[in-house]
Structures are given as structure tokens and as C-alpha cells.
Amino acid sequence: MTENKKLPAGKLSPEALKRSVLSYRGAPRPELLIGPGVGEDAAVIKWPEGKYMIFASDPIVGADKGAGRLLVRINSNDIASKGGDPAYLTVTLILPPSMGEEGAARIMNEIDEECRAQGIAVAGGHTEFNDRYDRPVIMGALVGTADKVMRATDVSEGDMLIVTKHLGIEGMSILALDRPELLSPFMSEEEISEIVSWSEMTSVLAESRILRGFAKFMHDPTEGGFLGGLDEISSLCGLSAEIDFDALPVHPLTRRAAEMLRFDPLRLIASGSLLAVVPERRAKEAREALKAAGFDSVTAGRMAGALKTPLPEPAEELWRLLKMGKEA
């Protein structure tokens, strides 16, 4: 494996920028009139008539391997949670000089592949090498379109909470990719490889397209996991929730890791699972539609009376786990 050629701090040359960054443009979209180019300061998009704009922005700070792919997915999930289809992405790369042009190209290739898979055009961005950083800082800003507006204020007492797939997908896959030595004392190589494969499940776009016809509100549980996402829904709609904790979908490998490493799987960053609040009369139909499309789901509980007690401070387990054994 060849080492990356260290570059001086600053921007790439125009030719290197064209070669290793601007050539990765995602999916072609005819309404993107002006896209990435040397000297182009902003994108120009012909906006579809009769649509709502959905805008999201998120960075990648806890992952290294597969960070470009994950950047697209976490931003896409935010668009999907609002019932939208992701369309136009801008990317900011601030990279340590040691990554070189090859490092920029690797991240952009991952972004390009995931954008093509989801029909997203890379509309522009910014790339620089900065010697103040020893790890990449990657920021995405994503615009999508939706046919309706989903508001938490539409959630009512008695609405059901549906959870797709299983909890902790993103956190476990990051752990298996970046700190597999934490899992290897009590998991086989095959089991760790299975968890690594969960990184392909972190998008919720497909199930959101099914659920948006049923749901009043949807949410992507990122930092703070399921409990953090649930608290955010309650805070937004002003309602408490009655949860059937025995019904929550925690994979046996996640449960084993939680027991051995002593963390709460319900507070592990959980992109890949989608929380949807659905009217009780439509909950069964929604789950049948998910099942027909190949998605597992559970009815985790229902929205209850008015929220009376302050919500706890948000907590996230992943960052503590990633530091384990490195703090000496």
C-alpha cells in the first residue's frame, strides 16, 4: 500500500482539484445548472415547482474508515426523516496535509459512489489542507425536495411509535471498523465482520419513502441513540411516551457488546433505524408495507399525555467507547 504524499498547507492546485475532487460529481441532475468548478463560488439550481425545500447539514467527527459514505448517509437521513428526497450536496473537506491528494480523492470517491446510489448531485463545496488538524474534518450540507411538511406539532396522544431495523447500527459499525480490538476478546472475526457490514444499513431513505405516506412525524436517532431521539420527539411535540422496552429491537451482538463493555445500547448513536410516529389506525398497515419491502420493524410504544418533567441531559456512548484504552 503506497503512502499518501504529504502536501503543504493550503488549497490544492487547480489541476489536482479537478483530478481528485471536482471529478466526483455524484448523480447527474439536469436542474443543476452550475455545479462544481474551479472559480465557481456557488451552485445554481432550477427549483422544481410545487415542492418544499428540505435542508440539512451534518459533519463526520467520530469515524475514519468509510467517512465519505457515512457523511452522505447521515445528511440524507435527515432529509428522509422530513419525508423528502435528497438532491444536492455541498462538501467541505478540511484535511491534514499528511493525507495528501490521495486522501482527498479517497473520501470524494466514497461520497461520489453513495451520491450516485441515492440520486444526489454534488453541487459544490470547499477543499483545503490545514496543519492545525491531525484528522479530517468533513462537513456536508444537503438540500432535498418534499411534497408535504411534516411537523411534530401534528403528533397526538395515542399515536404509535414504529422503529425500523435494529438499534445501534451506526455506533456498532463504527466501533467494529475503528476499534475492533475492543470487540475481539468476546467476538469472533466472523461476528465482527458481520457488524462491519452493518455500515451498509445506515441509510433510512428507502424505509422513509414507505413510511412518509403513513407518518405524522419521523426522526433519525443519531447522537444519544433511541432514547436521545425519543426525548427529542417528546420535546418537540410536548408529549411523553409509553415505551415497551422488551419490544425494542437490540441485536444479540449489540446486546453482548453492551454487557461486556458496559454501555447502554439505547444510548448508542443509531443512524440506520428510523423512528416514525403513526396514527394508531394506520400502524398495522404501515408495518405491513415495511415488511412487504423487506424491512423489519416493531411497535415500540405510544405517545401519551403532556410532558411534565424536564428531559435528561443528552448522553452518547460512542465517544467514550472510542477512547477506551487510549487515555493513559
Side-chain angles (χ1 to χ4, degrees), residues 73 165-166 169 197-204 271-273:
R73 289 183 181 170
K165 298 177 189 161
H166 58 88
I169 289 172
S197 74
W198 294 356
S199 63
E200 296 303 313
M201 299 166 56
T202 50
S203 172
V204 298
S271 280
S273 181

Side-chain angles (χ1 to χ4, degrees), residues 168-178 195-199 202:
I169 289 172
E170 181 184 2
M172 286 296 293
S173 62
I174 291 174
L175 202 58
L177 281 164
D178 288 359
I195 296 171
V196 168
S197 74
W198 294 356
S199 63
T202 50

Side-chain angles (χ1 to χ4, degrees), residues 7-161:
L7 295 175
K11 294 185 177 181
L12 283 168
S13 69
E15 288 306 312
L17 192 65
K18 291 177 185 177
R19 178 173 60 241
S20 296
V21 176
L22 300 181
S23 59
Y24 298 104
R25 305 174 73 93
R29 298 188 69 101
E31 67 273 24
L32 179 62
L33 304 181
I34 297 176
V38 174
E40 292 290 1
D41 292 329
V44 178
I45 299 166
K46 184 179 180 182
W47 192 248
E49 192 172 339
K51 295 281 188 179
Y52 294 96
M53 176 190 288
I54 311 292
F55 184 87
S57 179
D58 256 327
I60 290 295
V61 295
D64 184 9
K65 298 174 183 175
R69 186 170 293 106
L70 189 57
L71 178 80
V72 178
R73 289 183 181 170
I74 63 170
N75 281 282
S76 172
N77 286 354
D78 287 343
I79 300 293
S81 297
K82 284 296 183 187
D85 292 309
Y88 320 102
L89 176 72
T90 61
V91 180
T92 296
L93 301 180
I94 303 178
L95 308 176
S98 59
M99 286 189 67
E101 183 182 333
E102 299 87 352
R106 174 180 60 81
I107 292 172
M108 286 305 303
N109 182 60
E110 292 175 358
I111 289 171
D112 178 76
E113 288 179 352
E114 187 62 29
C115 281
R116 289 180 182 276
Q118 295 199 31
I120 300 168
V122 176
H126 174 81
T127 303
E128 70 173 79
F129 291 85
N130 194 311
D131 53 16
R132 294 184 180 182
Y133 297 90
D134 58 8
R135 289 174 63 88
V137 175
I138 313 172
M139 172 69 76
L142 183 59
V143 173
T145 64
D147 294 321
K148 66 177 184 179
V149 180
M150 303 184 80
R151 295 183 174 91
T153 51
D154 293 332
V155 174
S156 305
E157 186 174 347
D159 289 339
M160 308 304 289
L161 182 69

Side-chain angles (χ1 to χ4, degrees), residues 207-276:
E207 60 256 51
S208 78
R209 286 172 170 160
I210 297 167
L211 284 170
R212 67 192 180 193
F214 302 95
K216 290 183 176 181
F217 189 75
M218 297 188 291
H219 191 45
D220 171 38
T222 51
E223 285 195 44
F226 168 78
L227 291 178
L230 181 64
D231 286 348
E232 289 170 344
I233 292 175
S234 290
S235 179
L236 285 167
C237 69
L239 296 174
S240 60
E242 296 174 349
I243 300 299
D244 180 358
F245 285 93
D246 291 335
L248 293 178
V250 180
H251 194 281
L253 293 179
T254 302
R255 200 175 294 281
R256 191 196 311 169
E259 291 171 356
M260 299 301 294
L261 298 176
R262 298 183 180 180
F263 67 87
D264 184 351
L266 303 186
R267 290 203 176 277
L268 184 64
I269 191 167
S271 280
S273 181
L274 183 64
L275 311 185

Side-chain angles (χ1 to χ4, degrees), residues 178-206:
D178 288 359
R179 296 296 309 277
E181 72 278 8
L182 295 178
L183 302 176
S184 58
F186 53 86
M187 286 189 185
S188 67
E189 290 185 7
E190 291 76 15
E191 288 172 327
I192 295 174
S193 294
E194 179 182 348
I195 296 171
V196 168
S197 74
W198 294 356
S199 63
E200 296 303 313
M201 299 166 56
T202 50
S203 172
V204 298
L205 182 58

